[in-house]
Amino acid sequence: MAVGSGGLQDKPWTDPKAEPFVRVQGVSKHFGDVAAVNGVDLNIYRGEFFALLGASGCGKTTLLRMLAGFETPSAGKIFIDGVDMADIPPYRRPVNMMFQSYALFPHMTVGQNVAFGLQQEGVAKAEIADRVAEMLDLVQIKALATRKPDQLSGGQRQRVALARALVKRPKLVLLDEPLGALDRKLREQTQFELVNIQEKLGATFVIVTHDQEEAMTMATRVCVMNAGMVEQVGAPAEVYEYPNSRFVADFIGTANLFEGVVTEAGAGETRIVSPELGGDIVVGTGGTAAVGATVSVMVRPEKIQVVPGGNADPAYNSAEGIVRDIAYLGDVSVYHVELASGKRVQFTRANLLHTADTPISWDDTVRFQWHPANGILLVI
Ligand code: ATP
């Protein structure tokens, strides 16, 4: 998984004095009985590339549409650049939204599509020509200016839609699944381009995606949503390494979750007895829980090592199991190991050597271990 981060080295969200560019306060949106968005509080800072991430139907698009002004909150307030948006219609907000469908005008050329918004605003002809040329250059489709949308590939149409969203130089750019129509290779390439474009323009981007790798690759911070609510907001590495709940642990990347009961709660370390693992687990990071509490310990697959010869380090957590599945992915192999309890554990090994032989085979018994600092205690 690509764990990266966009620009903004100074991390304004860590500064309590920094003024958020977008403030979402207690915002809900109900459609009849459905609470599409339910009591959301968010601060987004100037220059951020902020990703709303979640499964289908969790309310991402509804939240984005409220920022754009296409939906009115049932409760709560939205401020953009310090201004309450309650009475501000979409066209008067410092915002532009790029739709999932791209919504290009089929009868207009690429250049006309991009110019349209500026013409509506009454911008002078010469300035329109300059700004359209500049945008087409930025998104690398200058050569296609006279084509119509049906003469373009999906990736090219996506670039036109992006140019059209950016040409009015909005302070806030909202992108709803902007790369959804692209194949995997083009998507990966475009993700980096999009971050470069955002950094060049210095605008604030909010992107909706259900693709966690996409969010992790591009975003300064990721907001994980579930059933209309915010589960966690953090930099990509934060939500991956330090999820605050079982939901986030499981949603971002792959997680091994072992349930157990706390037997010792010391300073900095918690001991758990876990029948699922078949023994004790010591965990050094994450939440705190009292003796007797039922908790989970999360360990990422790449944090687990196979112990050659079966002798685990006594300072580590360890167990033994039988290899049931192996997925060879080229750079890494993923091993699925079944424990005596029936619990399945996943771990990955980098394929460091140039060989077609597999060092671990199906039905092998393997011992594995991980350091207490590499597990996370989850209490919810
Ligand atoms: P997806 O990734 O599938 O686009 P999403 O996370 O963007 O999903 P939303 O489109 O915000 O989710 O929808 C959230 C919930 O609100 C869903 O249950 C959806 O059916 C419902 N919903 C959205 N718009 C409306 C509407 N206009 N009328 C009624 N229900 C709606």
Side-chain angles (χ1 to χ4, degrees):
M1 148 153 343
V3 178
S5 182
L8 280 197
Q9 302 307 324
D10 55 340
K11 299 187 178 152
W13 52 91
T14 59
D15 176 2
K17 288 196 292 284
E19 189 59 35
F21 182 57
V22 178
R23 270 194 292 149
V24 176
Q25 287 182 342
V27 165
S28 296
K29 177 70 188 179
H30 297 270
F31 295 108
D33 292 346
V34 179
V37 172
N38 196 355
V40 166
D41 291 303
L42 276 181
N43 287 332
I44 302 172
Y45 293 85
R46 205 177 290 275
E48 265 207 85
F49 200 124
F50 192 87
L52 297 171
L53 174 67
S56 183
C58 74
K60 313 177 290 288
T61 300
T62 304
L63 184 55
L64 202 72
R65 288 174 61 80
M66 285 193 279
L67 293 176
F70 298 127
E71 300 286 359
T72 312
S74 313
K77 280 190 175 300
I78 294 173
F79 296 86
I80 300 177
D81 211 1
V83 179
D84 186 347
M85 290 290 123
D87 298 319
I88 314 275
Y91 59 89
R92 290 199 29 234
R93 297 187 181 200
V95 168
N96 219 329
M97 179 154 168
M98 176 178 153
F99 295 93
Q100 210 166 349
S101 60
Y102 305 153
L104 300 176
F105 300 118
H107 59 286
M108 290 186 188
T109 65
V110 166
Q112 287 164 343
N113 261 285
V114 177
F116 183 77
L118 297 177
Q119 282 162 352
Q120 294 295 101
E121 279 187 350
V123 176
K125 257 191 170 170
E127 188 184 337
I128 293 180
D130 283 351
R131 279 169 67 175
V132 169
E134 182 193 23
M135 271 308 135
L136 295 183
D137 201 26
L138 186 72
V139 301
Q140 300 174 23
I141 49 167
K142 215 169 186 173
L144 308 176
T146 56
R147 291 216 202 152
K148 298 263 177 71
D150 65 359
Q151 298 167 319
L152 302 174
S153 71
Q156 291 163 341
R157 275 201 287 273
Q158 177 259 336
R159 281 156 198 268
V160 180
L162 186 62
R164 203 179 51 174
L166 299 176
V167 77
K168 286 166 81 177
R169 298 181 185 151
K171 291 182 192 166
L172 180 61
V173 181
L174 308 175
L175 306 159
D176 191 358
E177 300 274 4
L179 311 179
L182 310 186
D183 66 47
R184 192 185 160 92
K185 265 254 161 6
L186 192 56
R187 233 166 125 132
E188 285 174 359
Q189 185 190 329
T190 314
Q191 287 165 3
F192 290 110
E193 280 178 30
L194 207 51
V195 174
N196 286 338
I197 289 171
Q198 186 258 349
E199 283 176 357
K200 259 187 212 158
L201 297 176
T204 307
F205 277 33
V206 180
I207 181 173
V208 157
T209 179
H210 63 269
D211 179 334
Q212 46 149 316
E213 281 199 28
E214 187 161 294
M216 308 276 275
T217 305
M218 297 197 285
T220 46
R221 285 187 305 156
V222 176
C223 167
V224 182
M225 289 185 69
N226 177 29
M229 291 190 269
V230 172
E231 288 275 344
Q232 188 171 4
V233 180
E238 242 174 285
V239 290
Y240 183 78
E241 299 289 350
Y242 303 102
N244 62 1
S245 65
R246 278 180 272 245
F247 177 85
V248 176
D250 214 24
F251 188 77
I252 304 274
T254 304
N256 292 298
L257 289 162
F258 300 101
E259 204 171 272
V261 174
V262 176
T263 53
E264 282 173 40
E269 265 192 2
T270 308
R271 181 177 288 271
I272 288 135
V273 60
S274 171
E276 272 187 339
L277 185 79
D280 280 9
I281 304 176
V282 178
V283 58
T285 54
T288 50
V291 171
T294 299
V295 295
S296 292
V297 175
M298 188 280 286
V299 196
R300 297 287 185 200
E302 73 280 7
K303 308 276 193 289
I304 295 179
Q305 307 147 6
V306 173
V307 188
N311 291 319
D313 185 326
Y316 281 55
N317 301 299
S318 131
E320 208 171 72
I322 298 167
V323 176
R324 293 297 185 206
D325 280 310
I326 304 174
Y328 173 76
L329 302 179
D331 52 348
V332 294
S333 293
V334 184
Y335 298 88
H336 295 244
V337 170
E338 189 179 328
L339 309 186
S341 66
K343 171 89 180 166
R344 288 217 172 194
V345 176
Q346 265 191 58
F347 59 84
T348 49
R349 292 189 85 199
N351 291 319
L352 301 174
L353 300 179
H354 193 56
T355 171
D357 293 337
T358 48
I360 301 173
S361 294
W362 276 265
D363 297 331
D364 280 0
T365 297
V366 291
R367 180 158 281 277
F368 60 88
Q369 66 177 19
W370 77 89
H371 192 272
N374 286 330
I376 291 273
L377 182 70
L378 299 172
V379 291
I380 53 167

